[in-house]
Every structure is written in structure tokens, then in C-alpha cells.
Amino acid sequence: MTLYIGREASKLWKRFCSETTTEINLLLDNWKYLLAGLIFQYIHGLAARGVHYLHRPGSTLQDLGFYILPELGQDKAYISETVFTFVFLSFVLWTFHPFIFKSKKIYTVLVWCRVLAFLVASQALRIITFYSTQLPGPNYHCREGSKLARLPKPHSALEVFLINFPRGVIYGCGDLIFSSHMIFTLVFVLTYQKYGTKSCIKHFAWLVATVQSLLIVASRKHYTVDVVVAWYTVSLVVFFIDKKLPELPDRSSGNLPMLLPLSTKDKDGKSKEENHKPLNGNSVDPADWRPRTQVNGKIQEDANGIHDNAMNGA
């Protein structure tokens, strides 16, 4: 038993080291994209903090979801946060599974490049929408009479740029129209839907996303329209950006791909070259690209060429 555990531990360590080397090479090539995505997460938080200064509390708007779903209450607001934390941590752990498991389909670095691209595009649209129209927040701390509903004027720019994390993010107001939690949840679910391997987990992920949507409305953290807009907008963003990005490589091939696709000119040139390449893989001189005819199953040179050779021989 001890020998078996030692052998498996040795295999696991070798697999971890091999995967680490591969991912480091990918990270050296794509660190700019990851860094840009992480920086935009701060910009998104800063924008949400800024719109809180513009927020003016008022009466809660009429909402169909508020009539249908029972109100959970302020003391049960943690339920939706717990579900979101579960989704977030589960997805992060899944993206790092190639370091441990032998069966793998993704590269961690390349998956996070795609995920951050989806998040940046969705969050950029979210920033545009909640700065275009400010609505009175339905959350308890955003209602009239709450000390957190309005933010006093900042004493310095540093106070704004620090965004009071994480309290300033949890108790924000005014960043409506989109639900930030649903952006993350849907991006994670759609990514696993494409690159995950367990169909039961895919079905469970969609169920959790649906439950998360209902909990957000029941907790009065967002209006129903915020959740509905997130569902179809994030899906469209992921669809169109995924079409523009190159497909992730098959791990069985062992090739490390480029993150960005080839240009149309490069693709056309490569296709022409491949069309003129024989089966043995050797390149062909363009001067030898002569038409050939097929007679009785045999390929012969052009008749003019044969005639010229015969005259020279005579």
C-alpha cells in the first residue's frame, strides 16, 4: 500500500511539474492579456464606486419579480452571496484541474484569457448603461433613510481610487441595469458548457445560474430587468467574442497555439502553399506546377511538354 501511494505521488508530482512548465510558457506569451483583464476589474469597481456618488435614493420601482417572488429579508441576503461564492470558487478550481488530473481538455492560461475577454466586454457595456441612467436602488442599504444610500463628497481623489474594498463593493448603489454577479455566473457557466466534460455538471451549472437569478431578485439586490438583461447580453457577448478568438487547441496534439488568429492574408498564403504541397511534405518549385492529364489511371505530363521532349531527342 505504501509503495502504491509513493508511486502515485511521484506520478502526480511529475504531472504537476510538467503542467507548470507548459503553463509558464503560455503565461510568458499571454501575460499582457491577463494583466489587462485584471486591471479592468479594478476599473469596473472604480466605475461602480463613482456612480454611487451620483445615486439618489427614492421609491422602489414597480417590478414583476418583486410581486411574484417572496422577499427574503435583509437577514437572509447572505444566501445569494453564498451561492455566488460557490460558483466562483468551483470555476476557479476547475480551471486549475490540469495541474492534477491526467484527463484534461484545457490550458489554464488560455481559458482565463478568454474568460477575462468575456468579462471585460460585458462589464464595459454595464458601465455604459449605469452611467447613462441612474435608478434608485432596490437594496435595503440603498433606500431612503439609510446612511449608505448617499455617499458624501470625497475629501481627496485617493478616497475614490481606493474604492473602500470590499465594503464599498458589497454596499454599492446605483450600478443597476446589469447584474455584476450574473455576468460572472453566466460567463463561468457558458465557458464550462463549451470546455467542460461532465454533462451532469453542465446541467447542474445551469440550474445554479437560474437559482442565483431568482435569489438576486428575491433579495432585492437588483430589479428583474437587471437579471434579464444580463442573461441575453452576456450570452450574445460570449457568442460573438468566442467567434473572433481562435479555438483552444486539443490537448492530445501537444501543440502550443497562438492566442490571436492569423490575418486573412496569412491564411490565404498558407492555404495556397498547402494546396501545392505534395503528400511527402516537400515544397515544390513553382516552375514545376504544370498541368497533368490522367490516362488509364496514370498521370502524364502535358502533351506539349512530351512533344517538345520527343523533338529534342530526335
Side-chain angles (χ1 to χ4, degrees), residues 104-105 107 110 247-257:
K104 42 199 158 189
K105 186 179 178 181
Y107 292 99
L110 297 185
E247 196 60 54
L248 287 185
D250 185 4
R251 294 230 49 179
S252 60
S253 63
N255 296 325
L256 299 183

Side-chain angles (χ1 to χ4, degrees), residues 31-293:
W31 66 270
K32 294 180 181 179
Y33 306 105
L34 294 174
L35 181 61
L38 293 175
I39 290 175
F40 195 85
Q41 298 311 301
Y42 168 75
I43 295 175
H44 174 251
L46 183 63
R49 177 70 172 177
V51 79
H52 196 167
Y53 288 99
L54 304 176
H55 178 257
R56 295 295 178 266
S59 58
T60 303
L61 303 179
Q62 292 186 3
D63 190 280
L64 180 62
F66 292 176
Y67 287 109
I68 296 176
L69 296 175
E71 187 172 355
L72 289 180
Q74 192 171 3
D75 57 333
K76 296 181 181 179
Y78 69 91
I79 298 178
S80 63
E81 293 296 331
T82 303
V83 173
F84 175 74
T85 303
F86 168 75
V87 172
F88 187 90
L89 294 179
S90 299
F91 182 80
V92 171
L93 290 176
W94 171 75
T95 60
F96 284 93
H97 82 273
F99 288 88
I100 300 176
F101 294 98
K102 185 177 181 180
S103 176
K104 42 199 158 189
K105 186 179 178 181
I106 63 170
Y107 292 99
T108 302
V109 170
L110 297 185
V111 162
W112 276 108
C113 285
R114 298 179 88 89
V115 168
L116 288 173
F118 301 151
L119 290 176
V120 167
S122 300
Q123 290 168 340
L125 293 174
R126 181 174 189 260
I127 292 172
I128 293 173
T129 54
F130 66 60
Y131 269 104
S132 299
T133 302
Q134 286 87 44
L135 299 176
N139 210 334
Y140 302 101
H141 63 268
C142 298
R143 299 176 183 178
E144 192 72 51
S146 174
K147 296 180 180 179
L148 300 174
R150 294 170 180 255
L151 289 181
K153 289 185 178 181
H155 299 290
S156 63
L158 184 62
E159 182 179 344
V160 178
F161 286 114
L162 289 178
I163 68 175
N164 192 21
F165 184 84
R167 183 178 176 83
V169 175
I170 297 175
Y171 294 100
C173 296
D175 53 335
L176 300 174
I177 308 300
F178 261 113
S179 169
S180 180
H181 282 27
M182 287 309 302
I183 290 177
F184 279 92
T185 300
L186 290 172
V187 166
F188 293 164
V189 171
L190 288 168
T191 302
Y192 187 82
Q193 176 68 29
K194 183 172 184 179
Y195 299 109
T197 57
K198 305 294 185 181
S199 60
C200 60
I201 298 181
K202 293 179 182 180
H203 295 140
F204 179 71
W206 285 113
L207 176 63
V208 172
T210 304
V211 172
Q212 173 76 356
S213 303
L214 299 176
L215 287 174
I216 288 175
V217 177
S219 301
R220 304 303 188 254
K221 293 183 178 181
H222 280 275
Y223 293 108
T224 306
V225 68
D226 302 337
V227 176
V228 173
V229 170
W231 268 90
Y232 68 76
T233 304
V234 173
S235 299
L236 290 173
V237 167
V238 171
F239 174 78
F240 285 109
I241 292 183
D242 189 62
K243 290 290 184 182
K244 295 295 183 181
L245 294 176
E247 196 60 54
L248 287 185
D250 185 4
R251 294 230 49 179
S252 60
S253 63
N255 296 325
L256 299 183
M258 294 182 295
L259 178 64
L260 299 177
L262 295 173
S263 64
T264 305
K265 182 177 179 181
D266 295 335
K267 289 181 179 179
D268 294 341
K270 185 176 180 181
S271 299
K272 290 180 180 179
E273 182 179 353
E274 290 177 350
N275 290 336
H276 292 296
K277 187 179 291 186
L279 294 177
N280 59 9
N282 298 326
S283 59
V284 180
D285 188 355
D288 292 336
W289 294 345
R290 292 175 293 183
R292 292 167 170 81
T293 58

